[in-house]
Amino acid sequence: MYRQPVLKNRRTLLERAEKFISDVYFTDCNLRGRLYGDSCPLESLASFLSSKRIPFTEAAKQNFAPHKVGDTFGPTWWTCWFKVSLKIPESWRGKEVHLLWESDGEAMVWRDGQPVQGLTKEGEKTSYILSECLKDEEPHSITLYVEVACNGLFGAGQGSMIAAPDPNRKFSVQKAQLVVFNRDVQEVLTDFEMLVDIVKELGEGEQRGYQALFTVNEMVNLCDPSDPRSFSKARSLAHSFFSQRNGESQHTAHAMGHCHIDSAWLWPYEETIRKCGRSWVTVIRLMEKNPEFVFTCSQAQQFQWVQSWYPGLFSQIQDYVKKGRFIPVGGTWVEMDGNLPSGESMVRQFLEGQRFFNHEFGIVCKEFWLPDTFGYSAQLPQIMQGSGVSNFLTQKLSWNLVNTFPHNTFFWEGLDGSKVLTHFPPGNSYEMKGKVEDLVKTVKNNKDKGRANHSAVLFGFGDGGGGPTQLMLDRLERVQDTDGLPKVQASTPDKLFSQLRADSALLCTWTGELFLELHNGTYTTQAQIKRGNRRCETLLHDIEIAGSLALCRDGTFQYPAEQLQKLWRLLLLNQFHDVIPGSCIEMVVEDALRYYEGTVISSGPLCVSFQADGSVLMENGILKMVINKDGTLASLHLINANRKPVLEVVQPIHVVSSGGLRSSVSFTLRISDKSTIKQEIVMDAMCPYIKFNTEVQWAESHKFLKVEFPVRVRSPNATYEIQFGHLQRPTHRNTSWDWARFEVWGHKWADLSEHNFGVALLNDCKYGYSVHENTMTLSLLRAPKAPDANADMGTHHFTYAIMPHAGSFQEASVIQSAYNLNFPLRSIQCSPNTIPWSAFSVSSAAIILETIKQAEDRKRALVLRLYESHGSSVTTTLLFLFIQFTAIWHVFFVVFCDLLERHDPTQPAHMTSEGITLTFSPFQIVSLLLIL
């Protein structure tokens, strides 16, 4: 029968299709309103409220009181356990039956004593499947437990997501009932949604968009929401559209399930453990139903948490790892900050992470996975390569405030020349939803068109957990090879990077650091955390050296490997990219400071005493500085300048000590009606720098405390220490790339030098610097009010130092001076007849012997880590100066090893009677395995 053609108005047809599947409009008669069929109330619902996070076995024993839907519970951070008794009607035989559960907070369903499903409205998971097709032999009467955490996916911010948490928030269950789920309605809805999104995303200028528009309009004509028999005709139209294939040259999107879970941020560490459990058990359920589904998951610490708290779930994960579908990635203990941890800490991140993954899963990760952090050190490529990693994935530089980074796929060249293949997903997200918008962005935003034709699409709710959903998988399944969109394939990191490497001939290279032009305050906020980090890094360094020397002198000494691993893992956990940067809530800060204090206390029993006969005692000793110098203080003056924010001189400058080995003066200033600064300016005999021992009583709001040193030096660049080396950054603001670095990060020192003269600025726990023209600035304290309303309030102690010098900073021993400031000499009890000795020395001042530790897999072996610090090519001799004692160990042989302490057979080691000759290129890291 002939039909009169109708004018197809784009807006009218699009809105018609949108309303047909809307969850807001016309739900009484549209398709969305038919998603659920019959419903049935629960037989009973009871609850138990706990202030602590308790295991299921303990919760199940509690007394549960009757609970009504709509009743409130809480407050924030508590846990409400629900006991759910239900009976499925016999008449629902052959139907898909769900428990529909909509509540505030994050929930976990427990069945038969095991976690089976995560539920959260924010993560679009509001039902637990009781039966996909109810059979007579299936249980109809069931008891479940639902564990509801009184916090959302993103914590409990008061008024906004990143505000300080509301401690008194109340929560409720809005829906708790049995329902019949109409799977055929969901399938048609997904077809409609994808076609509507294609219309929107391809726009009016694309022929393919109009084809999608006419297809979806005809589907509305054919589909009667009240008659499921009409669905097949509509689905057939959609299938025909989706089946129209791409050309061979179309971009390929490598789809990988992902669930970025911040190990702490707007919630405490302990809640992260449950976030992992909720998210990962949901992934396992999806894998059971979707044989092509692949999931990537980082952070060994989170795996270890799940192993401890959810051993049954961990066993299931191990099974899917063997199948190549649940893929551990990253190789690090946590996704650490890329700026602030020391070089050795970064090595330990990989050492602990890779060893855990190898021990539990039999794998070594080939890719570093750090999608969300605040910058990337120029030494990361060398550390990656030394840890068995050749590929890198991140995306945070898409957040740059000023300049757009020019690449998505490229080779990143580090400080020493090491290169790693690097990929930024062009969709600029690590938590896509499998939508058309994600795929279109992936192609449109690709800055390396013509050079790279493959990209990652990481899908799943992230940051606060949640992970992928069945709907995301269904979306991607429909458009695997659909004209107008990129090809989509379920993939793995290895497949992605193998394809990128195979086609890498035209890729560009980026040399140096990857600097994030945003969140510069993370270099300074939560000063106590940063002080604790630096303090514990130095403490563990010293304990390992003392233990190693004891091992050399006494064959019966038991190196405290197990205790040190526990302490290192706590330190590495606190280097997570929302903890050490200070972007976390107050509860996390309290946890972190407690871990630091625990490290300091636990380190007491690890102190070592040496006796004259060479024996070694373990004692709870007191660590203190040893001074052996002489000198006098010449003169110091406090200059009163109008630019100083001084309201009052509380205590005028006065001499604290003079003559002898140390001279110092002290004064106290009031810098506001709330805050004071007390400083002791110290000059030690034979010491090339002046120290400023500082105590600040800080009670400000939205203020920033810095110290400035205008110096008589002119140079276009300043030098900053980073991990295992240093780099230069401009002191001018010529380009947008220059002025975007108005504040930068560095470690123990920064230096501004012209020919034959310069000034270095040293510190013992600060990381934020700015050198503009001739003014050197060190960031000391901030006072933000979110997400921690009390950030940095209270008393602070820190030391910085100024060091004028002749010649270059290398010639003036600035690097060694910064080490001296940060690693004060520690006294060790010795008997009067103890012979002075030095176990190791290097013949070149450019080479730093950074680490001495016991090897991980050999008790009678040491690992020595050295690096070239000047930026030069050097040949040096490492001397072994062991003194003959009664129970002496000597160096049996030496081999080169990588950062995972695996023997490197490509580098033979040539020993002499005194030591070993080593050749370094600029900023090269060398690790040696000494077999005793």
Side-chain angles (χ1 to χ4, degrees):
M1 178 178 176
Y2 175 75
R3 290 188 300 173
Q4 180 69 30
V6 178
L7 177 63
K8 305 292 187 182
N9 179 271
R10 184 179 185 276
R11 177 178 173 181
T12 301
L13 298 189
L14 180 57
E15 289 193 5
R16 181 182 185 225
E18 289 178 318
K19 298 298 191 293
F20 193 72
I21 59 173
S22 172
D23 57 1
V24 177
Y25 302 104
F26 309 115
T27 54
D28 58 330
C29 60
N30 72 1
L31 187 61
R32 181 78 60 181
R34 301 296 193 275
L35 188 58
Y36 295 104
D38 295 338
S39 64
C40 175
L42 304 178
E43 283 208 321
S44 67
L45 181 65
S47 67
F48 156 72
L49 195 60
S50 172
S51 62
K52 298 180 179 179
R53 300 171 181 90
I54 59 176
F56 171 82
T57 51
E58 183 179 342
K61 298 174 184 177
Q62 305 302 315
N63 294 320
F64 286 75
H67 189 100
K68 294 180 182 179
V69 171
D71 289 352
T72 60
F73 55 90
T76 309
W77 309 123
W78 284 44
T79 301
C80 193
W81 286 83
F82 291 89
K83 187 175 182 178
V84 180
S85 298
L86 55 90
K87 185 174 183 180
I88 304 173
E90 297 288 342
S91 60
W92 288 7
R93 185 184 302 110
K95 296 183 179 179
E96 184 170 339
V97 182
H98 290 198
L99 167 65
L100 184 61
W101 183 277
E102 294 185 8
S103 72
D104 303 320
E106 294 184 84
M108 171 82 92
V109 180
W110 292 79
R111 185 171 183 175
D112 300 327
Q114 294 297 319
V116 292
Q117 174 72 55
L119 296 173
T120 169
K121 287 192 297 184
E122 296 168 285
E124 296 180 3
K125 299 180 183 72
T126 56
S127 67
Y128 167 60
I129 302 175
L130 295 164
S131 176
E132 293 183 338
C133 183
L134 186 64
K135 299 179 178 63
D136 290 337
E137 60 269 23
E138 290 186 85
H140 286 49
S141 294
I142 302 170
T143 298
L144 303 173
Y145 289 85
V146 181
E147 175 191 15
V148 179
C150 295
N151 53 264
L153 277 180
F154 294 92
Q158 189 165 14
S160 70
M161 185 182 76
I162 62 169
D166 178 358
N168 300 309
R169 181 177 293 186
K170 292 295 183 178
F171 299 75
S172 68
V173 179
Q174 296 88 44
K175 289 183 182 179
Q177 60 185 5
L178 297 180
V179 294
V180 171
F181 183 76
N182 294 320
R183 180 66 61 181
D184 54 351
V185 173
Q186 179 62 67
E187 296 292 349
V188 184
L189 281 171
T190 305
D191 290 339
F192 269 102
E193 176 202 321
M194 294 300 283
L195 285 164
V196 167
D197 285 353
I198 288 173
V199 175
K200 292 179 179 179
E201 293 301 323
L202 296 189
E204 297 187 45
E206 293 286 339
Q207 168 72 12
R208 189 64 169 154
Y210 276 100
Q211 291 174 355
L213 178 65
F214 294 161
T215 299
V216 77
N217 181 67
E218 190 62 23
M219 287 171 63
V220 176
N221 294 337
L222 293 174
C223 187
D224 180 355
S226 64
D227 182 8
R229 295 173 298 178
S230 67
F231 296 171
S232 62
K233 295 180 180 178
R235 293 217 64 200
S236 179
L237 278 177
H239 178 73
S240 296
F241 179 90
F242 295 138
S243 297
Q244 293 178 320
R245 305 303 182 195
N246 267 303
E248 290 296 317
S249 65
Q250 183 59 276
H251 194 88
T252 299
H254 292 249
M256 292 172 263
H258 188 51
C259 181
H260 177 69
I261 302 178
D262 288 320
S263 290
W265 179 30
L266 305 175
W267 52 87
Y269 285 128
E270 199 171 70
E271 190 55 44
T272 304
I273 301 174
R274 299 200 296 185
K275 284 176 176 288
C276 293
R278 290 186 290 260
S279 302
W280 296 359
V281 76
T282 304
V283 167
I284 297 299
R285 296 290 84 80
L286 291 173
M287 287 187 168
E288 292 170 348
K289 298 172 184 176
N290 302 270
E292 301 300 318
F293 174 42
V294 172
F295 181 73
T296 57
C297 191
S298 65
Q299 306 192 70
Q301 170 70 89
Q302 295 184 4
F303 281 90
Q304 193 271 331
W305 279 336
V306 169
Q307 183 183 35
S308 177
W309 281 50
Y310 306 101
L313 171 59
F314 188 77
S315 179
Q316 292 177 297
I317 289 172
Q318 286 179 311
D319 290 340
Y320 278 102
V321 170
K322 291 178 183 177
K323 297 174 183 176
R325 297 180 57 199
F326 199 114
I327 304 177
V329 295
T332 50
W333 189 246
V334 296
E335 289 185 8
M336 73 282 196
D337 179 72
N339 297 330
L340 307 185
S342 69
E344 188 59 29
S345 288
M346 285 190 168
V347 169
R348 301 303 176 92
Q349 287 284 353
F350 283 99
L351 181 66
E352 291 295 329
Q354 293 283 43
R355 286 178 62 82
F356 181 89
F357 287 143
N358 190 42
H359 182 267
E360 299 299 335
F361 306 115
I363 67 167
V364 175
C365 299
K366 298 178 183 178
E367 67 292 310
F368 182 33
W369 199 272
L370 193 63
D372 181 23
T373 193
F374 300 116
Y376 311 86
S377 166
Q379 272 290 28
L380 272 171
Q382 183 178 188
I383 295 172
M384 286 185 229
Q385 283 201 345
S387 304
V389 170
S390 55
N391 305 312
F392 178 41
L393 183 143
T394 186
Q395 68 86 45
K396 198 59 177 277
L397 283 197
S398 66
W399 289 35
N400 267 8
L401 193 63
V402 180
N403 300 285
T404 299
F405 192 77
H407 302 294
N408 287 103
T409 303
F410 58 100
F411 285 103
W412 181 21
E413 183 178 72
L415 197 62
D416 73 314
S418 298
K419 288 186 179 181
V420 290
L421 178 58
T422 302
H423 181 66
F424 299 172
N428 294 339
S429 174
Y430 48 78
E431 51 171 335
M432 297 181 181
K433 305 301 184 293
K435 293 189 173 184
V436 174
E437 174 189 12
D438 300 329
L439 302 176
V440 171
K441 279 185 177 179
T442 294
V443 176
K444 183 179 179 180
N445 294 350
N446 179 21
K447 301 182 186 71
D448 295 281
K449 295 181 179 72
R451 289 189 287 261
N453 207 28
H454 296 258
S455 297
V457 169
L458 308 179
F459 64 95
F461 287 95
D463 288 330
T469 65
Q470 184 63 53
L471 179 57
M472 296 177 192
L473 291 167
D474 292 342
R475 289 168 179 157
L476 292 170
E477 187 274 333
R478 279 161 172 75
V479 292
Q480 293 181 63
D481 193 358
T482 297
D483 186 27
L485 298 176
K487 295 178 180 178
V488 178
Q489 67 178 49
S491 189
T492 67
D494 190 54
K495 290 179 182 177
L496 168 67
F497 281 106
S498 294
Q499 188 64 60
L500 291 174
R501 193 172 293 276
D503 301 334
S504 63
L506 299 178
L507 293 182
C508 299
T509 297
W510 180 273
T511 300
E513 67 180 329
L514 296 174
F515 185 86
L516 177 66
E517 300 172 356
L518 192 66
H519 299 314
N520 306 68
T522 59
Y523 314 149
T524 308
T525 303
Q526 300 293 5
Q528 299 287 23
I529 286 181
K530 292 168 171 62
R531 181 173 184 262
N533 177 75
R534 186 81 65 85
R535 184 184 182 192
C536 289
E537 285 178 335
T538 59
L539 186 58
L540 293 179
H541 167 277
D542 289 354
I543 292 169
E544 288 183 332
I545 289 180
S548 298
L549 298 183
L551 195 63
C552 295
R553 294 182 59 159
D554 183 358
T556 65
F557 176 74
Q558 295 298 310
Y559 187 91
E562 185 175 342
Q563 301 98 308
L564 282 169
Q565 184 187 59
K566 291 178 181 177
L567 296 178
W568 264 111
R569 286 183 170 183
L570 286 177
L571 177 60
L572 300 179
L573 172 59
N574 277 350
Q575 290 173 351
F576 178 75
H577 64 251
D578 278 310
V579 180
I580 189 174
S583 51
C584 52
I585 62 173
E586 189 172 13
M587 292 176 72
V588 178
V589 176
E590 292 169 352
D591 285 344
L593 295 181
R594 188 169 66 252
Y595 291 164
Y596 289 135
E597 187 61 30
T599 299
V600 173
I601 293 172
S602 299
S603 299
L606 303 183
C607 297
V608 180
S609 293
F610 294 101
Q611 305 303 307
D613 61 0
S615 63
V616 181
L617 300 177
M618 299 293 289
E619 292 187 358
N620 187 0
I622 299 175
L623 306 177
K624 62 179 180 180
M625 182 184 294
V626 178
I627 302 172
N628 185 24
K629 306 171 182 177
D630 57 23
T632 57
L633 175 66
S635 65
L636 278 177
H637 299 279
L638 177 63
I639 306 299
N640 183 15
N642 293 331
R643 67 183 297 176
K644 289 190 176 182
V646 177
L647 298 183
E648 176 189 355
V649 177
V650 178
Q651 185 179 38
I653 190 167
H654 60 280
V655 175
V656 177
S657 63
S658 62
L661 301 178
R662 168 172 291 182
S663 297
S664 67
V665 298
S666 179
F667 57 88
T668 303
L669 306 176
R670 181 173 300 283
I671 57 174
S672 77
D673 58 348
K674 301 176 181 178
S675 303
T676 61
I677 297 179
K678 179 181 179 180
Q679 284 198 311
E680 181 186 17
I681 304 177
V682 180
M683 292 185 68
D684 287 334
M686 306 301 292
C687 182
Y689 51 81
I690 301 173
K691 290 191 295 187
F692 294 78
N693 297 333
T694 307
E695 178 184 296
V696 180
Q697 301 290 340
W698 186 245
E700 301 299 317
S701 296
H702 306 291
K703 297 289 179 64
F704 207 148
L705 181 66
K706 301 186 179 187
V707 61
E708 289 186 349
F709 290 94
V711 297
R712 292 185 177 180
V713 177
R714 180 174 177 81
S715 176
N717 296 293
T719 307
Y720 304 83
E721 187 195 37
I722 66 167
Q723 298 84 357
F724 298 125
H726 60 264
L727 51 73
Q728 291 190 330
R729 300 180 179 116
T731 60
H732 52 76
R733 304 291 186 262
N734 282 357
T735 71
S736 61
W737 294 88
D738 299 331
W739 63 257
R741 303 185 186 200
F742 57 89
E743 183 176 21
V744 297
W745 64 271
H747 284 197
K748 299 185 292 293
W749 59 269
D751 183 84
L752 183 65
S753 290
E754 58 191 33
H755 176 65
N756 213 35
F757 178 74
V759 177
L761 182 55
L762 320 179
N763 77 84
D764 70 348
C765 61
K766 299 301 175 184
Y767 296 90
Y769 295 88
S770 175
V771 181
H772 184 212
E773 296 179 347
N774 70 321
T775 300
M776 305 180 73
T777 304
L778 183 67
S779 298
L780 302 177
L781 294 171
R782 293 184 74 235
K785 298 304 172 185
D788 177 4
N790 299 306
D792 285 320
M793 297 299 98
T795 303
H796 297 268
H797 295 92
F798 50 85
T799 296
Y800 55 86
I802 195 76
M803 180 179 169
H805 60 83
S808 68
F809 70 85
Q810 293 98 330
E811 296 166 339
S813 299
V814 166
I815 300 170
Q816 285 79 5
S817 295
Y819 269 95
N820 292 342
L821 180 66
N822 281 268
F823 293 81
L825 293 175
R826 303 187 189 274
S827 65
I828 295 177
Q829 287 188 349
C830 300
S831 67
N833 300 322
T834 300
I835 303 172
W837 69 294
S838 174
F840 305 98
S841 68
V842 288
S843 60
S844 170
I847 304 305
I848 303 293
L849 177 53
E850 175 70 22
T851 299
I852 307 173
K853 64 180 285 289
Q854 186 184 66
E856 295 293 317
D857 296 322
R858 302 185 67 156
K859 290 186 177 181
R860 298 306 170 193
L862 298 180
V863 170
L864 273 61
R865 190 151 19 255
L866 309 93
Y867 74 96
E868 196 289 317
S869 65
H870 286 181
S872 58
S873 296
V874 175
T875 298
T876 189
T877 301
L878 171 65
L879 302 175
F880 309 136
L881 305 174
F882 297 164
I883 292 181
Q884 299 299 316
F885 290 101
T886 304
I888 182 63
W889 289 91
H890 65 279
V891 178
F892 183 61
F893 66 93
V894 180
V895 297
F896 285 90
C897 63
D898 66 7
L899 300 181
L900 303 184
E901 303 183 9
R902 301 176 300 186
H903 175 214
D904 182 0
T906 64
Q907 297 188 73
H910 301 291
M911 283 186 58
T912 66
S913 58
E914 292 184 325
I916 180 173
T917 300
L918 302 172
T919 299
F920 288 80
S921 58
F923 306 115
Q924 183 182 359
I925 306 166
V926 170
S927 297
L928 300 172
L929 190 63
L930 276 63
I931 312 301
L932 302 180

